[in-house]
Amino acid sequence: MSQSFQTWNKQGTTFHLVPTDKFKTTTVLVTFSAPLEEKTLTSRALLPYIMEKSTAAYPSMKALREPLETLYDAGLYADASKFGEEHVISFQLDVVRGDLVRHETLLEEALDLLEQMIFYPDLTEGGFREQFVKQEKRLHALRISSLYDDKMRFAQQRLLELMAPGEAVSLSSLGTLEALEQITPVSLRDTYRSMVEQDRIDVFVVGHVTQDEMEDALSFLPSHDEKASHYIPAQKQVAGVKRSSETQPIKQGKLHLGYRVSVDPTSVDSIRLQIVNGLFGGFPHSKLFMNVREKESLAYYAASRYAALNSALYVYAGVETKQAERAETIIGEQLRDLKAGQFTDEELTQTKAMLINARRQILDQPGQLIGWLNGSKMRGLTLEDEIHIIETATREDVVRLAATIELEAVYLLRGEE
């Protein structure tokens, strides 16, 4: 089970390394993080789709993919996402270990392509290539519009806006159609320059690599001042339950509840709260699944998710509109039962076992391991630490932490009667 993790800072960049010969590949993730702001979000969300299309040296997708194929089908990807109150642009490289294919310079050659993608973009006439920008703007408009078609995502977005109107956490990770219309090849270039010059940089590596080898291989990263993290929203007090509803021509209503959780996301209690969530609605044996869905037949699905960075817990339920009020009542009863300690030792043991098993499975996939590293860096805990915290959590811990959960908002997307 033991796995070593190394974290250090050099020239403003924070490195996170898992040195291991367990995998046949080396995975490298470079992230650029900035405060989540409405005025920059749409442009930053679009940028990685443009950057992974081509580089200055490889001015088409076909030209860029050819060298990747010669490097044993190495993978090179770009993406953007929200992380608490940060917007993160990421570049990931997956390449087979050179020692396994007798290609000593394989990682070095693959990292050269990563460097090309990040620091030598395809800029012509002062901006990104216009044909790619037009193409990706059309595609991104479809991504933004698809939010309306995915009713579960739509309802969750509405819930976030209800809980934190105008705040960073309520912003859609894709941006808006209005902002998208204003993006030009030149403005996108300015967004890129801001990313390179102003963002905090983190590097995550999982593979048969030492610290010195990692620093040498990534020496192309710029030296810059170390920047603070902005991913933890301030704790808020709940002042009454906010409610909102809309009606659309859908068959199945969407009932979404937002709870405020008074737990520091950097603390060990945020790990224990995952047990509370597991008992409440995180697993098939949870109270929401067994009582709201199975016993009462009030929902097509009913589940919960703990979002530590948002200090929030969300409940999702697909309901018949006429049953929404009854479903909300039963959901509230399940939380009250948790707060009263009304759960069995068997349920507690099963929940802890499933959380521990999920962490052990992380060690079997480089991508999952990097995802865990990225998400857990704010706590400074190892996987072994987290497993020990879960194993030693008590019934009293569950009751104590359940008491910190308070209903803040209810959103209902009604189906037409």
Side-chain angles (χ1 to χ4, degrees):
M1 178 63 212
S2 179
Q3 180 67 68
S4 62
F5 306 102
Q6 300 172 16
T7 299
W8 70 97
N9 188 281
K10 184 176 181 180
Q11 297 182 325
T13 294
T14 303
F15 292 85
H16 312 263
L17 172 64
V18 183
T20 177
D21 60 3
K22 179 178 180 178
F23 305 115
K24 295 180 180 180
T25 58
T26 301
T27 299
V28 180
L29 180 73
V30 181
T31 64
F32 292 79
S33 303
L36 190 60
E37 297 178 343
E38 187 173 10
K39 63 182 179 181
T40 60
L41 191 151
T42 307
S43 187
R44 288 178 62 93
L46 178 66
L47 183 61
Y49 292 107
I50 303 292
M51 293 183 66
E52 71 175 3
K53 282 283 187 296
S54 62
T55 71
Y58 304 96
S60 71
M61 181 174 287
K62 183 176 185 295
L64 181 57
R65 295 303 154 187
E66 284 178 353
L68 290 169
E69 291 173 2
T70 65
L71 298 176
Y72 303 89
D73 287 325
L76 185 57
Y77 319 97
D79 197 10
S81 60
K82 284 170 50 176
F83 189 73
E85 293 195 342
E86 286 190 325
H87 192 266
V88 183
I89 297 176
S90 56
F91 302 88
Q92 181 167 323
L93 170 71
D94 298 300
V95 60
V96 69
R97 280 169 44 190
D99 60 311
L100 298 180
V101 291
R102 298 182 181 179
H103 190 148
E104 293 183 1
T105 61
L106 181 56
L107 179 59
E108 180 182 336
E109 293 172 41
L111 283 168
D112 179 67
L113 292 173
L114 178 64
E115 179 184 4
Q116 294 287 327
M117 179 175 286
I118 298 176
F119 294 108
Y120 299 93
D122 186 11
L123 297 174
T124 61
E125 300 177 358
F128 280 91
R129 196 176 292 270
E130 186 170 6
Q131 69 183 80
F132 289 156
V133 175
K134 286 183 177 179
Q135 176 185 352
E136 285 304 322
K137 283 179 67 174
R138 286 195 297 269
L139 293 173
H140 200 67
L142 294 175
R143 296 183 192 106
I144 294 173
S145 299
S146 71
L147 175 64
Y148 183 84
D149 298 325
D150 185 333
K151 298 308 178 184
M152 186 173 179
R153 286 177 58 213
F154 177 85
Q156 180 61 16
Q157 180 61 36
R158 285 289 198 254
L159 178 70
L160 292 176
E161 294 167 359
L162 185 61
M163 293 179 73
E167 297 180 24
V169 70
S170 69
L171 298 175
S172 167
S173 62
L174 295 173
T176 66
L177 291 172
E178 293 76 15
L180 183 65
E181 290 179 1
Q182 304 302 315
I183 294 174
T184 66
V186 174
S187 71
L188 204 59
R189 176 208 61 192
D190 294 340
T191 298
Y192 164 75
R193 287 178 175 172
S194 177
M195 179 196 83
V196 172
E197 296 169 3
Q198 303 296 327
D199 282 21
R200 189 185 75 252
I201 303 176
D202 285 86
V203 178
F204 304 85
V205 177
V206 173
H208 192 41
V209 181
T210 67
Q211 178 173 332
D212 289 341
E213 288 171 341
M214 179 174 168
E215 288 186 3
D216 289 343
L218 294 161
S219 60
F220 58 81
L221 293 172
S223 175
H224 57 97
D225 295 334
E226 187 175 358
K227 296 177 177 64
S229 298
H230 299 272
Y231 47 67
I232 302 177
Q235 295 281 333
K236 295 196 309 181
Q237 297 297 318
V238 176
V241 179
K242 304 173 186 176
R243 294 183 177 273
S244 179
S245 66
E246 295 176 75
T247 301
Q248 291 185 9
I250 55 176
K251 293 182 179 180
Q252 185 187 110
K254 308 295 180 185
L255 176 65
H256 285 224
L257 290 78
Y259 295 83
R260 188 61 53 192
V261 179
S262 301
V263 169
D264 181 350
T266 67
S267 70
V268 295
D269 270 345
S270 69
I271 301 297
R272 297 187 183 106
L273 218 146
Q274 295 174 28
I275 303 173
V276 180
N277 178 65
L279 286 164
F280 184 38
F283 294 120
H285 67 274
S286 67
K287 288 183 173 295
L288 293 185
F289 188 91
M290 297 303 296
N291 295 319
V292 180
R293 183 182 183 276
E294 296 295 303
K295 182 179 178 181
E296 298 288 340
S297 299
L298 287 171
Y300 302 97
Y301 60 85
S304 67
R305 179 175 70 88
Y306 170 48
L309 285 174
N310 295 351
S311 296
L313 186 145
Y314 306 115
V315 169
Y316 321 95
V319 299
E320 290 185 27
T321 298
K322 61 184 179 182
Q323 296 277 27
E325 185 175 346
R326 172 68 175 157
E328 182 185 336
T329 299
I330 301 298
I331 289 169
E333 290 175 358
Q334 307 315 303
L335 182 58
R336 285 194 293 274
D337 285 350
L338 269 182
K339 293 180 176 182
Q342 294 182 21
F343 53 91
T344 67
D345 290 341
E346 181 182 2
E347 288 168 339
L348 177 59
T349 299
Q350 185 178 3
T351 300
K352 291 164 71 170
M354 293 180 77
L355 288 168
I356 291 170
N357 184 56
R359 279 164 170 77
R360 288 179 171 148
Q361 289 179 354
I362 287 171
L363 293 171
D364 296 328
Q365 295 291 336
Q368 288 188 23
L369 193 49
I370 283 183
W372 174 83
L373 277 173
N374 192 22
S376 67
K377 61 179 181 288
M378 60 181 177
R379 298 189 189 95
L381 300 172
T382 66
L383 270 171
E384 289 90 341
D385 292 335
E386 292 192 6
I387 287 175
H388 178 71
I389 291 165
I390 293 168
E391 286 178 332
T392 57
T394 64
R395 169 179 289 273
E396 290 71 26
D397 287 326
V398 172
V399 172
R400 171 177 60 87
L401 292 171
T404 71
I405 302 172
E406 188 175 359
L407 182 62
E408 181 176 25
V410 179
Y411 174 81
L412 174 62
L413 181 60
R414 299 175 177 274
E416 293 182 336
E417 296 293 343

